Amino acid sequence: VFSRPCLVRHLQEREKSESNMRGSTATSLLALLLVASSTVAMRTVQLNTTFKVDISLDPEHRFDEVCKAFPNFAKDAKAYAEQFLPKAAIPVVDVLVDAIDTVLGERGKEMKGYAKCTGLDLGTLVALNYAYELRRLGPAAPNTTTPGDYHGMCTSIVAQQEDGTMVHGRNMDWNLDNAMRPYTILVDFYDGDKHLFQGITFVGFIGLITAYKPGQFSMSMDAREEGGAIAGDFLQMIFKGGVETSYAGRVIMQEATDYESARTLASTISLAAPIYIIMAGSQPGEGCVVTRDRDAPVDVWDLSATGSWYLIETNYDHWQPAPAGDDRRDYGIKHMDAVGQDKISIDTLFDVMSMYPTMNNNTEYTTVFAPAKSYFAGYVRYTN
């Protein structure tokens, strides 16, 4: 069971201090402390091994180092796909496989090489890479805060410390069982000898939805509108050049040189599906949530324009109320306010990301970043 001694100790200290001034404040902090004790039983393992992906190599061999380290991946991924990939998705995947050379180009070659190296059939590997665009065909995940179903995934928080340092936390929520979670990996992307960026992803995936460029910016992606209507997603890809969301994240990381260029690219890149793109930079005030439709931004929510010291995004437009069945947003706000800007740090942000329902049984991994300090850590979460 993962514990949060740092945050609990801070809440206790703040409760004691403020109780001398305002009894009502102490009562509210005690209530938050009780919420903090409502945890999900999760085992947490920090990732320490990083795999190299060199984009100067032939596309079919860029992920060889990764796949050779996981000889059982094909068997486990096939079993997972047979359990969770709906039959309705098969015709869509067949179209993608047939058009992999003409529609997907270089990234199609990467998928081909990945499939050959791992021994996984190409159709299953393609389906995994398009899991977000296909997700409406699959079952909903259990909800987080009241009985029912929800289709949410992920929480991202960007915050500014009192000294101006930006920190960024992210939980990835999906429906991976424990058997697949060991395939969560750290990857370093290179162009020859030049280091480009680092991210966290899953074996078999060529894209990235969580990554950072040391000294410059960090990025995470949260689902919007359950991935969008499937027909619209694939028509956008075929006729308008919309990029699947996970690969769009990689494009941003490869092409952007700093926070401002990343923010611009996140707002303008043609996407296959709606998404939230959350970023933190290396300078004070550099934090944003870009709410995207396929063709254009719906909203760009900049930390510098809010008067607040943090932004939190789950899976709903920030100007709309979160649904009662999945109100991770308001719990996250309460937990961030309880910490306070004077105490926010890499450690206490990690603590917030570890509190229920921000962390729940569907949380596969947690990451924390501090771009200006070139700090990035990734942790895999396992249900007990």
Side-chain angles (χ1 to χ4, degrees):
V1 178
F2 182 72
S3 63
R4 299 157 315 286
C6 185
L7 179 58
V8 171
R9 184 169 60 252
H10 165 60
L11 286 173
Q12 289 171 331
E13 291 172 353
R14 177 166 289 207
E15 177 196 353
K16 182 179 179 180
S17 173
E18 297 193 9
S19 65
N20 295 328
M21 296 181 288
R22 296 186 301 273
S24 60
T25 302
T27 301
S28 65
L29 286 170
L30 177 61
L32 284 174
L33 180 57
L34 293 175
V35 171
S37 299
S38 302
T39 64
V40 181
M42 303 283 278
R43 181 168 61 91
T44 299
V45 177
Q46 184 171 1
L47 293 172
N48 294 309
T49 302
T50 303
F51 295 91
K52 182 178 180 179
V53 177
D54 186 351
I55 63 171
S56 71
L57 297 177
D58 183 284
E60 295 194 17
H61 293 287
R62 291 173 182 171
F63 291 89
D64 285 0
E65 181 179 312
V66 176
C67 63
K68 289 176 181 177
F70 295 92
N72 296 321
F73 172 72
K75 174 177 65 70
D76 292 340
K78 189 69 175 177
Y80 171 80
E82 289 174 351
Q83 182 180 0
F84 290 102
L85 182 65
K87 292 182 178 179
I90 294 175
V92 180
V93 173
D94 287 342
V95 171
L96 283 171
V97 171
D98 290 342
I100 197 166
D101 292 322
T102 56
V103 175
L104 300 183
E106 188 168 292
R107 62 189 190 275
K109 293 179 181 178
E110 289 184 346
M111 291 185 203
K112 279 184 172 182
Y114 224 147
K116 183 178 180 180
C117 185
T118 58
L120 183 63
D121 66 278
L122 182 58
T124 299
L125 189 128
V126 169
L128 293 177
N129 277 271
Y130 284 87
Y132 179 70
E133 285 76 16
L134 294 169
R135 72 191 306 255
R136 283 199 182 189
L137 294 177
N143 85 338
T144 59
T145 51
T146 63
D149 287 333
Y150 84 105
H151 288 264
M153 75 170 192
C154 308
T155 300
S156 295
I157 300 174
V158 294
Q160 180 173 308
Q161 298 175 213
E162 283 195 329
D163 66 359
T165 301
M166 300 301 302
V167 290
H168 181 175
R170 186 273 209 291
N171 278 358
M172 169 68 178
D173 301 347
W174 197 253
N175 64 348
L176 291 181
D177 56 28
N178 277 352
M180 290 299 294
R181 295 187 188 192
Y183 295 109
T184 309
I185 58 172
L186 298 179
V187 286
D188 266 317
F189 277 75
Y190 281 80
D191 186 357
D193 294 330
K194 181 182 179 182
H195 181 258
L196 301 177
F197 55 89
Q198 187 178 57
I200 184 170
T201 187
F202 302 105
V203 177
F205 285 82
I206 66 168
L208 287 167
I209 57 174
T210 311
Y212 100 118
K213 186 162 286 191
Q216 297 299 327
F217 66 92
S218 55
M219 176 208 71
S220 60
M221 290 179 158
D222 292 3
R224 181 172 185 252
E225 297 180 1
E226 302 172 24
I230 293 170
D233 291 351
F234 284 91
L235 287 172
Q236 180 81 1
M237 276 193 295
I238 294 170
F239 294 107
K240 292 189 175 181
V243 180
E244 63 273 22
T245 49
S246 63
Y247 197 78
R250 182 171 151 190
V251 171
I252 291 170
M253 298 307 301
Q254 287 183 194
E255 295 187 5
T257 57
D258 54 20
Y259 172 80
E260 285 299 332
S261 59
R263 180 183 176 279
T264 298
L265 190 53
S267 302
T268 56
I269 188 172
S270 178
L271 298 173
I275 196 79
Y276 299 103
I277 305 174
I278 303 92
M279 294 182 168
S282 61
Q283 300 299 314
E286 290 187 341
C288 68
V289 176
V290 181
T291 302
R292 280 298 309 265
D293 273 344
R294 297 181 180 94
D295 290 314
V298 178
D299 178 77
V300 179
W301 189 25
D302 288 304
L303 178 65
S304 59
T306 66
S308 177
W309 57 275
Y310 70 88
L311 302 175
I312 179 169
E313 177 58 59
T314 56
N315 305 103
Y316 313 101
D317 294 346
H318 69 86
W319 58 92
Q320 299 287 349
D326 183 30
D327 195 3
R328 286 166 289 130
R329 178 203 294 166
D330 287 331
Y331 278 95
I333 289 172
K334 291 175 182 177
H335 297 154
M336 288 294 288
D337 288 345
V339 175
Q341 188 178 18
D342 61 325
K343 296 294 185 182
I344 198 64
S345 66
I346 291 169
D347 291 336
T348 55
L349 180 58
F350 178 76
D351 292 337
V352 169
M353 304 308 295
S354 302
M355 296 172 69
Y356 179 82
T358 302
M359 184 177 76
N360 55 78
N361 281 329
N362 292 295
T363 301
E364 274 77 41
Y365 66 72
T366 298
T367 58
V368 284
F369 309 90
K373 296 181 177 180
S374 295
Y375 180 88
F376 169 42
Y379 302 83
V380 183
R381 310 288 202 174
Y382 293 90
T383 58
N384 289 328

